[in-house]
Amino acid sequence: MITDPYLAGLDLAGRRVVVVGGGTVAQRRITGLLAAGAAVEVVAPQVTPAVEGMATARELTWTARAYRDGDLRAAWYAVACTDATDVNAAVAAEAELARVFCVRADAAGGGSAVTPAVGRHDGLTVGVLARRRPRRSAAVRTALVEALQAGVVDDSAEAVTPGVALVGGGPGDPELITVRGRRLLARADVVVTDRLGPRDLLDSLGPHVEVVDASKIPYGRAMNQARINELLISHARAGRFVVRLKGGDPYVFGRGFEEALACAEAGVPVTVVPGVTSAFAAPAVADVPVSHRGVAHEIVVVSGHVGPDDPRSLVDWPALGRLRGTVVLLMAVERIAAFAAALIDGGRPADTPVAVVQDATMRIQRSVRATLATVADVVREQGIAPPAVVVVGPVAGLGDGVTTGI
C-alpha cells in the first residue's frame, strides 16, 4: 500500500546537510538548500563546474572523495544522488540508523523523505507531491505559480500598501514582462500606461482597475511628464496602489527616474521593477546579436530624440563614428538620415551593416537590413515607422533567420 508522505517545511538554516554526489542532479538540489541557509557539504570525487564554483566561493564545503560510512554524522538532512545505486542505498541505510531524513534521487521509495516540486511567489513556497509522479507534481506546481503571478488566484491576505511601482513591461510581448512586474500589475488599483507599454497585459486587469492612458494627457512634452507625476502621486495619496507600466526598462530612456524622484520628494513609497529593454530585445528577436565574439566588444545605446546638430544633444557623434562595435539607436527612425551621416562623418565606413526592427516582439514585427549609406532610403521605401530600434555595426550583418520560435 502506497501512503502519502507528510508534507512539512524544514528549517535548515545553519544546519548541516550532506549531499552525496556532485553531478547535475546534486547541483539542482544544492541551490535550493543554499537558498534555505543550510550548511551544505558535498561528498563526491568529482563535481560539476557550477558546484566547484560554489565551493570556491565558500557557499558550501566540498569533500573530494567517495562516500564513506560515517559521513552523515551530525547531519540534519541528507541527499543521495550518485550514479551508483549501491552507494545511494548505503547512504540511505546510514541515514536510517542515524535517524536523519534522506532523499534518494534514484529511488523515491528508498529514502525516508521525498522532495516536492517547489515554486516560489512573493514570499509563498508552494510544494506539490504526486505519489512519485514527478512530472505531474511539476506541472501542477507550475500552474499554481503562474496563476498566482497572473492574479488568477488571489493570495493577498491584506490590502496592498498604497504607493507607486515603476514597472518595465518589456518590448511589447506580454510574456516578456518580469515575474515581479506581472505580480504587481495584478494587484494594481490604478495603471498608468502609454503607447509603448505592452497593450495585451491590460486585458488581464480586473474591471475595478482604473487605466490611465498617459499618451492622451494634454499639454506639451514637459507638462505632460509633470502631469503624469501628479497623477501617480495623487492616486497613491488617495490610498491606491499605482503601477506605472512602461515599455522596455523604466530607466533606459524611459524617464523612470524622473518619476521616482517626484514620488520620493512627495513622500510616496516607490519601487522600481526593471524590464527587458527593447535596445537588446529587438535586435535579438530579429536575429541580430548586439555582441558576438570576435565581432563586437562594445555596445553603446543612444537616444535619437534629438538630431546630431541639435544644441540639446549630449552625444559625442564623432566619438561614436570612431568606434568599431555596436551602436543601438532608440527613437531614431525619423532622423535616421542625419544619424547615418554623422556616423559616416565620424569615420564609420558607409558599408557598415544596419538592421532596423519595428514593433519588436509583436505580431506585426518586421525588420529590414541595409548599410549606413542606404538605411535612410530603405526606411523610407519600406515605410518603417516608430517604434523601431536601429542597430549599427558588423553584428547587423550576421545570420538572418537563425531562430525559428517555439
Side-chain angles (χ1 to χ4, degrees), residues 333-390:
V333 170
E334 295 178 0
R335 303 176 183 83
I336 188 60
F339 296 136
L343 290 172
I344 292 173
D345 290 344
R348 281 268 178 159
D351 61 354
T352 299
V354 178
V356 185
V357 188
Q358 177 183 330
D359 294 306
T361 76
M362 303 294 286
R363 292 179 293 273
I364 56 175
Q365 172 187 318
R366 63 192 185 114
S367 60
V368 296
R369 304 274 183 143
T371 65
L372 279 177
T374 64
V375 65
D377 291 336
V378 171
V379 164
R380 183 182 66 255
E381 293 167 0
Q382 296 296 322
I384 299 295
V389 175
V390 180

Side-chain angles (χ1 to χ4, degrees), residues 33-388:
L33 293 170
L34 291 177
V40 176
E41 178 180 357
V42 176
V43 179
Q46 293 90 29
V47 296
T48 67
V51 174
E52 184 175 0
M54 296 177 201
T56 301
R58 298 185 179 179
E59 295 181 82
L60 54 80
T61 301
W62 174 26
T63 300
R65 58 165 172 76
Y67 162 78
R68 299 173 185 168
D69 187 49
D71 280 342
L72 303 189
R73 188 175 295 111
W76 289 72
Y77 191 69
V79 180
C81 50
T82 73
D83 292 333
T85 301
D86 58 334
V87 174
N88 292 338
V91 174
E94 181 187 349
E96 188 73 18
L97 291 173
R99 296 189 177 184
V100 175
F101 279 108
C102 176
V103 172
R104 273 190 65 173
D106 62 334
S112 54
V114 180
T115 302
V118 175
R120 293 179 174 82
H121 165 79
D122 192 25
L124 293 176
T125 299
V126 177
V128 180
L129 293 174
R131 290 195 175 185
R132 304 175 189 173
R133 295 172 63 186
R135 290 190 177 183
R136 185 186 183 197
S137 59
V140 173
R141 177 272 321 272
T142 300
L144 284 173
V145 173
E146 288 180 347
L148 288 165
Q149 293 167 353
V152 176
V153 175
D154 184 6
D155 67 315
S156 55
E158 56 188 36
V160 177
T161 303
V164 173
L166 304 178
V167 175
D173 185 330
E175 292 190 347
L176 294 180
I177 189 173
T178 64
V179 171
R180 189 181 186 201
R182 188 67 178 261
R183 172 172 59 82
L184 294 180
L185 185 63
R187 295 188 173 188
D189 299 306
V190 180
V191 175
V192 180
T193 187
D194 52 46
R195 67 185 184 88
L196 293 181
R199 300 167 300 182
D200 292 354
L201 288 173
L202 303 180
D203 292 339
S204 64
L205 299 176
H208 67 285
V209 180
E210 179 180 352
V211 178
V212 179
D213 187 349
S215 62
K216 294 183 179 179
I217 295 175
Y219 309 116
R221 185 177 179 85
M223 285 299 294
N224 179 287
Q225 185 60 60
R227 178 61 180 143
I228 292 173
N229 296 348
E230 292 172 4
L231 279 171
L232 300 177
I233 293 167
S234 62
H235 279 298
R237 283 178 170 172
R240 302 182 181 97
F241 178 58
V242 186
V243 168
R244 174 66 167 112
L245 183 61
K246 307 174 77 69
D249 183 277
Y251 282 6
V252 180
F253 302 131
R255 297 198 169 196
F257 196 55
E258 294 180 41
E259 295 169 2
L261 287 175
C263 290
E265 291 170 358
V268 171
V270 60
T271 186
V272 178
V273 181
V276 177
T277 174
S278 60
F280 298 154
V285 296
D287 296 324
V288 177
V290 291
S291 68
H292 190 67
R293 185 171 58 177
V295 177
H297 289 179
E298 74 232 353
I299 307 165
V300 181
V301 182
V302 181
S303 171
H305 74 284
V306 296
D309 297 328
D310 193 302
R312 296 171 295 171
S313 176
L314 303 177
V315 180
D316 188 341
W317 286 99
L320 287 183
R322 291 192 297 270
L323 296 178
R324 294 188 296 172
T326 305
V327 176
V328 179
L329 302 173
L330 304 181
M331 301 173 284
V333 170
E334 295 178 0
R335 303 176 183 83
I336 188 60
F339 296 136
L343 290 172
I344 292 173
D345 290 344
R348 281 268 178 159
D351 61 354
T352 299
V354 178
V356 185
V357 188
Q358 177 183 330
D359 294 306
T361 76
M362 303 294 286
R363 292 179 293 273
I364 56 175
Q365 172 187 318
R366 63 192 185 114
S367 60
V368 296
R369 304 274 183 143
T371 65
L372 279 177
T374 64
V375 65
D377 291 336
V378 171
V379 164
R380 183 182 66 255
E381 293 167 0
Q382 296 296 322
I384 299 295

